[in-house]
Amino acid sequence: MGAKLFTPFTVKGVTLKNRIVMSPMCMYSCPNEDGMVENWHRTHYASRAVGQAGLIIIEATAVTPQGRISPNDLGIWNDDHIQGLKELAGLVKEHGSAIGIQLAHAGRKAVLEGEIIAPSALAFNEKSKTPKEMTKQEIDETIEAFRKAAERSKKAGLDVIELHGAHGYLINEFLSPLSNRRTDEYGGSAENRYRFLRQIIEAVNTVWDGPLFVRVSAHDYDEDGLTPEDYVQIAKWMKEQGVDLIDVSSGAVVPARINVYPGYQVKYSEMIREGAGIATGAVGLITSGIQAEEILQNERADLILIGREFLRDPYWPRTAAKELGVEIEPPKQYERGWK
Ligand SMILES: Cc1cc2nc3c(=O)[nH]c(=O)nc-3n(C[C@H](O)[C@H](O)[C@H](O)COP(=O)(O)O)c2cc1C
């Protein structure tokens, strides 16, 4: 019997050779503070492609300079960013992996000089800066920045776009009532809090017809916050808008204590997958092939995202295959040392 982990997954004409996805992870490796792809990114992402990941999702990449988490973030706010991303896409695809990008705006979590923006003028915690409440014009401009970023992603030859709607960054800040206290059409009801993401998806859909994923934080871990049940409804709306997969993470919209253990977010993926009838990705303390296989076979997710374990082991797919007793093809150059 083969392992489901090593079966292909096709979405909107893009086929991933297996279900293993490198989770987006910020590298903060743009020393010139210009958001440009550097040698670090080339080495880091190409290594995981040599290691046989089915899909590699490039780290949170800022759609505006003000939307960076730090000055050293990768960027896609300018046409000058296209060339570096195109080279990166070429390097990764050369090894048979698909490549995606996580489009992001940090909102109130930006640690930058100058003004930062968010749905409401509420700081994340006592140490962080108080953001300025976004005007309608700033909302429109940000939606347009996501659209332009999607257009640039296409020009760079990227296979998948993932919108970063998790971890307390801007999109998440609009979704959660804990960070969104607006009284206009972008705040109040669940529909209103979803409006910003709805309009981003609409805008992206005008220029992008490839696979579209959205990462969410399915639990705010706060009694007044959002729960996985709320995200089932949000996922239904996303499905109606043509989103292909929900990448299910959790937390970080407000400071909260989270009880973490192996696979701690998998149950949220399962709930959203069943409740909304949409493909999901599971992430969070998934470190072994057996764990990944259990999640897929029990239909708790369609893709497995690996974060820190991929930092420790760039050839994690090989490690997982050995554990599951299946053989996967090595890069030709490594045939003599792969088994
Ligand atoms: C160094 C580092 C950077 C990260 N950057 C991002 C990011 O850019 N976008 C994101 O959605 N999650 C980010 N995360 C979260 C990971 O993608 C992943 O969801 C999390 O680490 C849990 O998975 P794991 O237990 O397999 O590491 C980051 C995590 C780490 C360790």
Side-chain angles (χ1 to χ4, degrees):
M1 194 199 73
K4 192 166 179 187
L5 187 59
F6 293 97
T7 56
F9 181 78
T10 301
V11 50
K12 288 203 182 125
V14 174
T15 297
L16 316 182
K17 65 182 165 187
N18 59 45
R19 308 294 180 112
I20 302 169
V21 182
M22 180 182 184
S23 199
M25 284 178 283
C26 287
M27 291 288 108
Y28 307 115
S29 294
C30 304
N32 301 320
E33 305 190 359
D34 55 4
M36 300 292 261
V37 168
E38 296 286 339
N39 277 341
W40 174 261
H41 305 104
R42 296 184 181 95
T43 306
H44 169 68
Y45 291 113
S47 305
R48 276 70 190 180
V50 169
Q52 305 298 303
L55 170 66
I56 288 170
I57 304 182
I58 301 171
E59 65 204 76
T61 302
V63 300
T64 67
Q66 198 183 26
R68 289 174 293 177
I69 302 166
S70 85
N72 305 111
D73 289 19
L74 214 48
I76 189 163
W77 63 78
N78 193 306
D79 286 347
D80 295 343
H81 291 126
I82 297 170
Q83 188 53 32
L85 292 167
K86 196 172 183 174
E87 285 165 23
L88 195 54
L91 280 172
V92 164
K93 289 186 192 189
E94 202 176 302
H95 302 296
S97 299
I99 181 159
I101 188 164
Q102 190 183 48
L103 302 182
H105 190 299
R108 70 175 179 174
K109 281 191 155 179
V111 184
L112 300 171
E113 305 223 336
E115 187 176 84
I116 62 169
I117 55 174
S120 300
L122 297 166
F124 174 70
N125 63 20
E126 58 288 350
K127 286 190 205 127
S128 51
K129 212 186 253 186
T130 301
K132 173 183 164 301
E133 176 175 315
M134 287 167 83
T135 61
K136 176 74 172 78
Q137 189 186 335
E138 283 163 333
I139 290 175
D140 290 344
E141 284 165 3
T142 309
I143 293 166
E144 172 62 9
F146 273 96
R147 190 191 66 79
K148 294 286 280 183
E151 203 167 46
R152 293 183 188 113
S153 302
K154 189 169 180 174
K155 287 187 180 150
L158 300 168
D159 299 306
V160 173
I161 288 181
E162 173 167 287
L163 300 174
H164 198 344
H167 304 163
Y169 297 115
L170 188 63
I171 293 173
N172 194 176
E173 289 161 20
F174 271 90
L175 292 173
S176 175
L178 301 172
S179 42
N180 181 348
R181 302 279 167 81
R182 297 180 75 93
T183 53
D184 63 2
E185 71 269 32
Y186 290 93
S189 67
E191 285 89 342
N192 280 358
R193 282 180 276 107
Y194 180 67
R195 192 177 310 279
F196 181 61
L197 176 54
R198 177 183 294 285
Q199 293 178 342
I200 290 173
I201 296 169
E202 274 169 10
V204 167
N205 280 343
T206 64
V207 293
W208 178 259
D209 53 9
L212 181 61
F213 297 2
V214 179
R215 175 168 273 200
V216 298
S217 274
H219 209 316
D220 288 351
Y221 303 107
D222 183 292
E223 60 181 32
D224 299 319
L226 297 180
T227 63
E229 288 79 9
D230 294 314
Y231 272 96
V232 168
Q233 178 56 59
I234 294 171
K236 284 181 185 167
W237 289 328
M238 287 195 265
K239 185 184 173 186
E240 279 166 19
Q241 290 193 270
V243 169
D244 298 290
L245 180 137
I246 312 295
D247 172 4
V248 185
S249 187
S250 71
V253 75
V254 290
R257 193 178 293 275
I258 305 176
N259 180 26
V260 298
Y261 48 85
Y264 67 105
Q265 297 170 146
V266 176
K267 56 185 180 292
Y268 310 144
S269 159
E270 188 173 2
M271 281 180 66
I272 290 171
R273 191 175 185 277
E274 283 202 355
I278 191 167
T280 61
V283 66
L285 281 179
I286 302 167
T287 53
S288 76
I290 287 176
Q291 222 186 332
E293 189 63 13
E294 180 278 320
I295 295 165
L296 294 172
Q297 292 285 0
N298 283 314
E299 304 191 336
R300 309 173 77 194
D302 299 272
L303 295 177
I304 301 294
L305 288 95
I306 303 292
R308 288 160 294 180
E309 195 59 26
F310 246 134
L311 300 183
R312 294 185 277 268
D313 178 4
Y315 299 166
W316 187 81
R318 173 181 172 274
T319 307
K322 282 189 87 163
E323 196 190 331
L324 292 168
V326 298
E327 274 187 27
I328 59 167
E329 256 185 57
K332 190 162 61 58
Q333 297 89 335
Y334 286 1
E335 271 165 7
R336 291 177 64 184
W338 189 260
K339 283 199 181 155

